[in-house]
Amino acid sequence: QCAHWCLKSLPAVDPQRRPGAYDRPQEVLVRVRNVGVCGTDLKIRAGRMGLDVLPLIMGHEISGEVAEVGGSVATGAGGFTPGDRVAVNFYVTCGVCRFCRQGRDTLCPQVRQHGFSRDGGFAEYLKTPGVNLCPWSRRASWATPWPPHSMPSPNEPRLAPA
């Protein structure tokens, strides 16, 4: 339940909010199915990491199903359609600076991160740019771990779903 994993030092977060993907055409609305809890989440919750954006829904190791696709996101072959299983790269970048063009998204001067500086996955739904999604095989169980080190940069070529 979101109430246990939201930081609420400022106005309270409504755990029932369901943002629409349509307000930013390059975004996708993901129905969250799994979120990992790592040591960083525990440090954030304990107040041992300074965050500049509150209130905040935590959670940055996210997988789920595409619920809605914004009008600028590719659909069908090579894109995403509702029901597709995806993992979410938590670095949200500009996509155009020299670091993004080199696939070094952690150095983007405009980088934002799900669960750190924008809402994360400890919620029913998550909005994220379509370029932050990586297809996940329908044959894989939701219980199958997705190793964080295998997540490609949003600027790397996409893997074909199995």
Side-chain angles (χ1 to χ4, degrees), residues 3 24 28-29 37 39 54-55 59 64-65 67 76 79 91 113 124 130 148-149 154 161:
R24 291 214 172 108
V28 171
L29 186 66
V37 177
L54 294 175
E65 296 173 331
Y91 290 111
Q113 299 162 310
E124 188 176 352
H149 62 273

Side-chain angles (χ1 to χ4, degrees), residues 6 22 30 32 34 69 82 104-106 115 121-122 136 153:
C6 294
Y22 54 85
V30 175
V32 177
N34 283 324
V69 180
R104 300 170 68 196
D105 52 352
T106 60
F122 292 137
W136 192 358
S153 161

Side-chain angles (χ1 to χ4, degrees), residues 61 90 145-153 156:
E61 297 175 357
F90 69 97
W146 182 286
H149 62 273
S150 70
M151 191 69 200
S153 161
E156 291 179 15

Side-chain angles (χ1 to χ4, degrees), residues 57-131:
I57 297 174
M58 297 167 48
H60 61 277
E61 297 175 357
I62 307 160
S63 64
E65 296 173 331
V66 172
E68 297 176 24
V69 180
S72 298
V73 178
T75 57
F80 296 98
T81 56
D84 287 349
R85 290 181 176 201
V86 293
V88 179
N89 183 341
F90 69 97
Y91 290 111
V92 179
T93 64
C94 74
V96 295
C97 73
R98 69 183 174 108
F99 297 114
C100 287
R101 289 192 315 267
Q102 295 170 354
R104 300 170 68 196
D105 52 352
T106 60
L107 300 176
C108 174
Q110 297 179 42
V111 70
R112 305 293 285 171
Q113 299 162 310
H114 287 297
F116 295 92
S117 51
R118 65 183 279 162
D119 282 342
F122 292 137
E124 188 176 352
Y125 291 89
L126 170 84
K127 280 194 308 185
T128 194
V131 298

Side-chain angles (χ1 to χ4, degrees), residues 1-9 36-51 53-54 56-60 115-116 122:
Q1 181 64 282
C2 181
H4 298 289
W5 287 97
C6 294
L7 299 181
K8 298 181 189 180
S9 296
V37 177
C38 79
T40 304
D41 295 311
L42 300 176
K43 289 176 191 173
I44 292 169
R45 188 155 188 256
R48 295 196 317 246
M49 294 182 70
L51 296 178
V53 178
L54 294 175
L56 176 74
I57 297 174
M58 297 167 48
H60 61 277
F116 295 92
F122 292 137

